[in-house]
């Protein structure tokens, strides 16, 4: 129900995974072969049982591409690390909307892609995303919004 409402409201990257573990502070979930960690709501803690389905969303502007000229990603500063390839893009003037498919095996979560990622136009140019299509990226645990069942 909550996932459907989120889509109607125009929220992008509404995804479905499986709960691994829930505590009052964090929710660990599995999605597309990835183990992700989200912050649990401090005001209304949600404690779903392990192995139960869970819906969540990630705002496209909160997915962070990792610069390749700065060495390997540091797991201390880059949480929920993943990698994938840009399979489509759209220029919105001040931002580019990228469609990224994870490198993980399996069907993409949203048609031809797994995540929609928004980057400022200048970042798109500096990182030469039009030429370099394979990226590692991270999502802060506070940017994964769990939708209670």
């Amino acid at each position: 129900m909550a996932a459907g409402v989120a889509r109607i409201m125009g929220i992008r990257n509404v995804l479905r995974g499986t709960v691994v573990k829930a505590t009052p502070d964090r929710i660990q979930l599995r999605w597309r072969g990835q183990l992700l960690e989200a912050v649990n709501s401090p005001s209304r803690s949600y404690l779903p049982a392990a192995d139960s389905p869970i819906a969540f969303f990630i705002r496209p502007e909160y997915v962070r591409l990792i610069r390749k000229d700065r060495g390997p990603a540091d797991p201390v500063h880059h949480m929920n690390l993943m990698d994938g390839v840009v399979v489509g893009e759209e220029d919105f003037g001040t931002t580019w909307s990228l469609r990224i498919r994870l490198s993980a095996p399996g069907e993409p979560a949203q048609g031809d892609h797994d995540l929609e990622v928004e980057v400022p136009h200048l970042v798109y140019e500096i990182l030469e995303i039009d030429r370099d299509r394979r990226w590692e990226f991270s999502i802060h645990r506070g940017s994964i919004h769990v939708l209670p069942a």
Side-chain angles (χ1 to χ4, degrees), residues 11-15 26 29 36-40 56-64 79-80 82 115-116 138-147:
I11 296 172
R12 295 172 291 174
N13 290 330
V14 178
L15 307 165
R26 308 259 193 274
L29 57 105
L36 304 179
E37 185 176 84
V39 171
N40 208 340
F56 61 99
F57 72 91
I58 302 164
R59 289 177 45 163
E61 64 271 25
Y62 289 161
V63 179
R64 298 284 177 236
M79 53 192 72
N80 295 316
M82 291 173 258
L115 287 172
E116 187 176 330
S138 70
I139 303 166
H140 187 277
R141 69 175 68 94
S143 298
I144 298 175
H145 303 279
V146 170
L147 297 167

Side-chain angles (χ1 to χ4, degrees), residues 105-146:
E107 289 298 311
Q110 303 187 83
D112 69 339
H113 67 286
D114 289 294
L115 287 172
E116 187 176 330
V117 178
E118 200 171 279
V119 296
H121 205 278
L122 182 61
V123 170
Y124 182 90
E125 290 175 3
I126 289 170
L127 298 181
E128 299 179 338
I129 294 171
D130 61 327
R131 181 186 61 76
D132 193 352
R133 309 303 273 179
R134 187 162 295 282
W135 289 92
E136 192 172 20
F137 54 92
S138 70
I139 303 166
H140 187 277
R141 69 175 68 94
S143 298
I144 298 175
H145 303 279
V146 170

Side-chain angles (χ1 to χ4, degrees), residues 11-110:
I11 296 172
R12 295 172 291 174
N13 290 330
V14 178
L15 307 165
R16 295 185 183 282
T18 305
V19 174
V20 173
K21 180 172 123 182
T23 68
D25 296 333
R26 308 259 193 274
I27 296 179
Q28 286 184 332
L29 57 105
R30 187 159 305 285
W31 171 73
R32 287 279 284 118
Q34 313 294 311
L35 181 63
L36 304 179
E37 185 176 84
V39 171
N40 208 340
S41 170
S43 60
R44 49 176 174 56
S45 196
Y46 178 53
L47 298 171
D51 296 323
S52 60
I54 191 165
F56 61 99
F57 72 91
I58 302 164
R59 289 177 45 163
E61 64 271 25
Y62 289 161
V63 179
R64 298 284 177 236
L65 298 181
I66 297 172
R67 291 183 61 135
K68 296 176 182 182
D69 60 351
R70 299 202 174 150
D74 174 5
V76 173
H77 296 100
H78 297 103
M79 53 192 72
N80 295 316
L81 278 169
M82 291 173 258
D83 64 275
V85 63
V86 177
V87 295
E89 63 194 358
E90 200 168 346
D91 183 355
F92 285 101
T94 58
T95 61
W96 278 87
S97 177
L98 310 174
R99 289 185 312 282
I100 294 182
R101 181 175 179 161
L102 295 183
S103 299
E107 289 298 311
Q110 303 187 83

